[in-house]
Amino acid sequence: MTTPEAEPEQGGAPRPEERLEQAVRAAEQALIEYEIALETFRVEVENFSRLHEQRLGPVYVRLEELEAQILEARAARTGDADDLRRADEARARLMPIPGVEELLNGWMDGDGLFPEATAMLTDQAVRPPQRVRPSEEARRLYRELARKAHPDLAQEEAERVRREEFITRVNAAYARGDEAELRELAEEWAAGPVPERRPSRGEELYARLEWLDRRKELLTLLAKELEESAIGAMLRLAPDDPDRLLEEIAEQLATQVREREAELAGVLAQD
């Protein structure tokens, strides 16, 4: 039996919520197809990159080695300071940097160098951490809040999570010695959790559409990065026959290797 809420409006036109639901379903399907296409392209790029490295990586290394040898031979013959510098730079690019991970361990994280490391590298004095001595009132507020809001007092998982998040804020305020914030937290805890208002069906649908739109923007950026990458650009040159493209690049590199070998032989012959 159809409820009054589910009946269409006069004239057979769908209700706004029904139109929203249709829009959400259409957007979901379009996004799924877009994600499938993007993932397919990503795998193609990854596979081509692997083949490119396996097939052509040694050739690139050989070219770089020949370039270094040519510069070294030229520098040995001329003794010119600029030639020596260029030879050293070319050789250094081929040499791994020993012990990098060990050297940087504890000096940096995902956001870059720690402040202490930056100060040491720039010959600045390393400032000791600022000491905070909470007032007696701050200590009292902290103890009361810790006793009242401790996560172990929770009976349900959701309440435990709420208490853990709250205690994290309490600990941070106490670490700063922020008495005013501790008072505000005490008032917040005394007021209790704010009851959650369940969104309407229309609000849920609009929120879903907004999420789908943000997801599409993210995928569009990822697609652009793949397309503009070196490997992606190569694939666009020969989307139907990437293996043949590898063969053509290999032939070009082989020619360059022969040219560099001849150049090196010519430089050595001048001695």
Side-chain angles (χ1 to χ4, degrees), residues 19-81:
R19 294 173 61 190
L20 268 177
E21 288 177 352
Q22 293 171 3
V24 168
R25 300 290 89 78
E28 288 175 339
Q29 289 303 312
L31 189 64
I32 288 172
E33 294 301 322
Y34 189 59
E35 289 200 45
I36 291 172
L38 177 58
E39 180 62 14
T40 301
F41 184 57
R42 188 195 65 78
V43 171
E44 291 176 358
V45 169
E46 186 177 284
N47 288 335
F48 188 76
S49 177
R50 187 179 298 111
L51 290 172
H52 181 271
E53 177 63 26
Q54 291 174 351
R55 175 70 188 278
L56 304 180
V59 186
Y60 286 120
V61 172
R62 175 58 178 161
L63 277 172
E64 292 176 349
E65 175 63 30
L66 284 169
E67 182 68 21
Q69 290 180 6
I70 290 170
L71 292 172
E72 288 169 342
R74 185 174 294 132
R77 183 173 58 83
T78 65
D80 182 77

Side-chain angles (χ1 to χ4, degrees), residues 3 28 33 62 136 150 157 160 162 205 269:
T3 62
E28 288 175 339
E33 294 301 322
R62 175 58 178 161
E136 286 300 322
H150 199 284
E157 182 60 25
R160 170 178 287 275
R162 183 178 81 91
L205 291 169

Side-chain angles (χ1 to χ4, degrees), residues 201-218:
R201 179 57 177 162
E203 290 172 332
E204 290 178 343
L205 291 169
Y206 272 116
R208 179 63 173 166
L209 279 175
E210 290 175 352
W211 182 88
L212 290 168
D213 184 60
R214 292 194 299 271
R215 177 66 176 167
K216 183 176 182 298
E217 289 181 359
L218 174 61

Side-chain angles (χ1 to χ4, degrees), residues 67 70 74 258-268 270:
E67 182 68 21
I70 290 170
R74 185 174 294 132
R258 289 192 294 270
E259 292 173 349
R260 292 292 188 276
E261 288 174 341
E263 183 179 355
L264 176 60
V267 174
L268 294 174
Q270 296 176 12

